[in-house]
Amino acid sequence: LRDKPDYDALSYAWGTPNLSAQIVLNNESFPVTQTLFAALQQICSDNKETNQPRKLWVDAICINQMDNAGKSHQVLLMRDIYSNATSVLAWIG
């Protein structure tokens, strides 16, 4: 955040916490919820029309969900994360 990077942030309801979908992240499979998977599919589909790379901040991906102390710290930064984003995308399904 100090470096003021250009990124978009995604706001969405987690829905069922079951990590039953998979995305490819850094050439590795990464489990996500069905809700996040649907949001990412739509964003990627929309992005194909412009063919422009996009930096996207997503809490379930950018915050280590297995590290409770780190997660607590990151949650305190979420206001800054969303307010400094170039745009905030809201996924309501």
Side-chain angles (χ1 to χ4, degrees):
L1 289 174
R2 286 185 212 117
D3 295 339
K4 304 284 186 206
D6 288 328
Y7 64 94
D8 298 325
L10 175 63
S11 177
Y12 66 101
W14 273 52
T16 305
N18 184 7
L19 302 176
S20 59
Q22 299 286 321
I23 62 171
V24 176
L25 186 62
N26 296 326
N27 295 319
E28 293 193 27
S29 184
F30 189 89
V32 297
T33 64
Q34 287 292 331
T35 305
L36 177 53
F37 185 76
L40 293 173
Q41 276 188 312
Q42 184 64 51
I43 291 167
C44 288
S45 176
D46 293 347
N47 208 47
K48 284 181 183 176
E49 294 176 14
T50 63
N51 203 27
Q52 295 295 316
R54 172 182 245 161
K55 292 180 188 172
L56 188 63
W57 184 89
V58 180
D59 58 355
I61 297 171
C62 297
I63 298 174
N64 181 353
Q65 301 301 312
M66 304 304 284
D67 177 2
N68 287 332
K71 187 167 48 172
S72 295
H73 175 72
Q74 291 293 314
V75 167
L76 295 174
L77 298 174
M78 287 181 74
R79 178 179 178 191
D80 292 332
I81 290 167
Y82 283 105
S83 65
N84 286 306
T86 302
S87 65
V88 177
L89 309 169
W91 177 259
I92 55 175

